[in-house]
Amino acid sequence: MTGDGDGTRYDGAWPAVVDLLVRSGVDTCFGLPGDDMELLRALDAAGVDVVPCRDQRNAVYMAAGYALQSGRPGVCALGKGPAVTHAATGLLEARESGAPVLLLAAGTPERGRGSGGFQELDQVAAVAPLVRWAHRVTHPDRVVPAAAKALALTSGPPPGPVYLEIADDVRTAEIVRTGPWPRLPEPLEDESFPLTGGPTTAAVLASRRPVVLVGGGMRHLNADGAIEGFAGRLDAALFTTASGRGTVDERHPLFCGVAGLYASAPARELFAGCDLVISLAGRLEETVTEGGTPWPPVPVLQVNIDPAGLSAEFPGPRVLGDARRAVLAWSRALSDAHAEGLRGHTEPWAREIAVARKAMAAEADDERARAAELPGVRIAELLAALDATSSEPRVLVAENGLQDMWSYCYPFHAGGGSIVPSEQTPLGFGAAAAIGVKRAAPQHEVTAFIGDGAFVAARGDIAATAGSHGGVLYVVLCNGGYGWLDAQRARLGLDGERYAFARPGTPPPAFDEAGIHHRVLRDKEALADELRTAREVCAQGGTAVLMVPVDPDDIPPPIRDAEVIPQ
């Protein structure tokens, strides 16, 4: 990079793009480049930490985990052709989870398009349905504005993945920037959310049995406890979606866990008896609305900054806007109503919430007592040991298999941060995303709570990154395959030998990578000591893998009791 009177000159597109990234605060890039090594050289020269991967899909998962944990863009760099199509599942997950991911890819030269060039593919067409913007840069003059636009679009609103492709002949051309880099857009601070006279505030003030349902869009928007303050003024039962977990303080006396499929029986009964659902920055997808919890025939007040996140399936007012600002405005309206004696009569509902929470705790205690009498390590007691040996700050990164979903169920796991896959539930997301989460939050304890199928999908990258980007504790539930599919098979009476989705009792996956702390846990009496030892390894920057053989009948109570096995 050089500067003169005519502007700043770069000896290729990648040095120009990296200059923008660094000026915008990017310090990490995940990826698996193709033959193009100029990008790696530019990243090294700029001091950006590169996490080299073995699998393009895992690279995007890592970038998404980094983005979800930090709230900043997760950058991923790949080659072309099959590298891009292999990354498509990661882009789908980033889109559905609202992760600000910038995917940088190479592309065949513009001058050779249509001639059967090596790995030639219309990559923009392949990924366009999965991203907020997909663009191929075909001229050196377009590198600077295209890169600035791509980075700005990742952060939204709404946030999501963006794809930027640099054609090979543009990649090697001189790039001239004639002015300063465009700064990232600054959001307009709008304080004008109506406090009175509107249907939303009227619905809030009139409710006597409200539920506040916190979605993943509230991540990073509740540092000062605005949601808990709102729920306290309203005496509302406080639920989250799976992706919204970790946003609110789970020690709060109104917190009732994850809604829908993952809710305990007392929480479901409570939810079914409400008179208003206030959905904050979440999508009302199937596991929330149909997952075993009777959805009450009441108004649903939805707030979302993304119009695509507003469901038309439910009656009630819908607000297109910032849910945090809505919460603050409603809190002020509630304070005024209390001061004027216009708000009250919610004590019976608050008592019902307290009774339901007490019942949840009792059910969890009973389940752990039952587990203690059974042979082998049961997942309820494993989660209790994980919580007992952890320290703050911490993050649990999960998959979405039949048995790792135990961690979704409150109060079996409580507190700390949470990163989970979206409703797309791609295999291996949590296993790989944990690496990005740890890179975004190096001072946090990061635990990946995953199944053996997910571990096998990500094991190459776990081993490859352990030396220089360790610190993650992997707790691997080993049931010999895919428990969710096996439960479906058993429900239909299909032959377990012919359709061996899981093989209970098979040895855990072999894993003998040098430098990685690896144990198989079968003795429940040794759980706490093994976990403490593994956490000490991780605290020193190492990677620990604890394999836990589990019984196929060890199913989370909400799913077991509601007999919810998907069709």
Side-chain angles (χ1 to χ4, degrees):
M1 180 175 67
T2 60
D4 56 32
D6 296 327
T8 302
R9 299 176 181 274
Y10 304 88
D11 59 0
W14 290 136
V17 172
V18 170
D19 187 33
L20 168 66
L21 296 179
V22 171
R23 291 170 186 267
S24 302
V26 172
D27 60 5
T28 304
C29 180
F30 306 87
L32 179 61
D35 296 336
D36 166 22
M37 294 291 154
E38 284 93 344
L39 177 54
L40 292 184
R41 184 166 61 184
L43 291 165
D44 282 347
V48 176
D49 189 14
V50 178
V51 182
C53 304
R54 295 293 184 268
D55 182 296
Q56 294 93 347
R57 177 183 50 187
N58 288 335
V60 185
Y61 291 163
M62 291 182 203
Y66 177 95
L68 290 171
Q69 176 63 32
S70 68
R72 304 188 302 272
V75 178
C76 183
L78 304 176
K80 51 179 169 295
V84 174
T85 58
H86 200 199
T89 303
L91 290 175
L92 172 64
E93 176 57 31
R95 184 191 72 180
E96 294 303 302
S97 62
V101 170
L102 175 59
L103 179 59
L104 304 172
T108 53
E110 186 66 18
R111 62 178 178 271
R113 297 273 283 183
S115 65
F118 179 64
Q119 294 185 329
E120 181 181 352
L121 173 70
D122 187 351
Q123 295 166 191
V124 169
V127 303
L130 305 176
V131 297
R132 297 199 65 221
W133 188 55
H135 184 66
R136 172 180 165 90
V137 180
T138 59
H139 192 279
D141 291 349
R142 302 305 305 159
V143 170
V144 168
K149 179 177 180 178
L151 188 61
L153 280 170
T154 61
S155 298
V162 170
Y163 172 83
L164 185 66
E165 176 182 331
I166 308 290
D168 281 345
D169 41 2
V170 176
R171 169 176 58 82
T172 56
E174 182 184 63
I175 307 299
V176 178
R177 175 168 56 83
T178 58
W181 277 108
R183 298 181 64 178
L184 291 177
E186 297 182 9
L188 178 65
E189 298 294 335
D190 182 9
E191 301 288 350
S192 63
F193 191 89
L195 296 181
T196 59
T200 59
T201 303
V204 170
L205 293 176
S207 174
R208 294 296 178 265
R209 303 170 64 85
V211 160
V212 172
L213 178 60
V214 183
M218 293 302 294
R219 189 181 295 274
H220 305 296
L221 298 178
N222 191 41
D224 56 355
I227 298 172
E228 292 91 329
F230 171 56
R233 291 183 181 91
L234 193 58
D235 281 331
L238 189 54
F239 286 82
T240 72
T241 65
S243 61
R245 194 166 187 189
T247 301
V248 300
D249 183 359
E250 298 190 355
R251 297 166 298 183
H252 194 278
L254 294 171
F255 183 72
C256 298
V258 179
L261 176 63
Y262 314 109
S264 65
R268 290 174 178 173
E269 185 176 346
L270 188 72
F271 197 102
C274 74
D275 65 3
L276 176 70
V277 176
I278 304 171
S279 175
L280 302 175
R283 288 193 295 265
L284 299 177
E285 46 90 11
E286 182 179 357
T287 62
V288 176
T289 62
E290 299 180 19
T293 301
W295 190 272
V298 300
V300 180
L301 196 172
Q302 302 176 57
V303 191
N304 206 308
I305 204 163
D306 179 7
L310 293 171
S311 172
E313 307 297 323
F314 301 93
R318 295 182 295 163
V319 177
L320 182 62
D322 186 325
R324 173 180 171 80
R325 297 198 175 281
V327 163
L328 294 174
W330 291 329
S331 293
R332 291 194 295 271
L334 285 165
S335 295
D336 292 343
H338 280 294
E340 297 171 10
L342 301 177
R343 177 72 190 172
H345 313 296
T346 56
E347 291 85 358
W349 182 237
R351 287 195 294 270
E352 284 189 48
I353 295 170
V355 168
R357 281 172 47 86
K358 187 175 181 179
M360 291 179 221
E363 286 191 355
D365 288 342
D366 290 346
E367 186 69 30
R368 285 188 284 262
R370 187 180 75 87
E373 300 300 320
L374 296 172
V377 175
R378 305 294 290 189
I379 303 174
E381 56 194 350
L382 174 60
L383 283 172
L386 278 169
D387 282 348
T389 58
S390 66
S391 59
E392 298 293 347
R394 59 189 168 112
V395 184
L396 187 75
V397 188
E399 288 281 330
N400 196 259
L402 180 62
Q403 294 181 300
D404 35 23
M405 282 194 302
W406 265 94
S407 63
Y408 290 50
C409 300
Y410 176 84
F412 293 101
H413 164 66
S418 176
I419 299 291
V420 301
S422 72
E423 64 271 21
Q424 294 292 335
T425 66
L427 178 70
F429 169 77
I435 297 168
V437 170
K438 182 63 179 180
R439 184 61 187 81
Q443 302 307 315
H444 286 54
E445 278 188 354
V446 177
T447 302
F449 194 73
I450 61 177
D452 48 2
F455 177 80
V456 169
R459 63 182 295 166
D461 277 305
I462 293 170
T465 58
S468 56
H469 296 88
V472 178
L473 168 60
Y474 290 89
V475 178
V476 186
L477 307 178
C478 301
N479 59 13
Y482 305 119
W484 191 263
L485 292 178
D486 198 57
Q488 291 178 309
R489 175 205 59 75
R491 179 180 61 82
L492 295 175
L494 297 174
D495 188 331
E497 289 298 319
R498 183 179 181 187
Y499 301 105
F501 296 117
R503 292 191 178 278
T506 57
F511 192 72
D512 56 359
E513 298 292 336
I516 294 181
H517 177 84
H518 175 222
R519 296 287 188 276
V520 177
L521 306 187
R522 291 189 171 90
D523 180 4
K524 63 177 66 187
E525 301 300 326
L527 271 182
D529 288 341
E530 290 281 11
L531 285 168
R532 290 190 187 96
T533 299
R535 292 197 188 282
E536 289 172 4
V537 169
C538 296
Q540 299 301 316
T543 295
V545 177
L546 302 181
M547 303 283 191
V548 187
V550 294
D551 195 284
D553 71 356
D554 199 357
I555 297 173
I559 297 172
R560 181 189 66 209
D561 298 344
E563 300 180 351
V564 179
I565 298 295
Q567 299 297 316

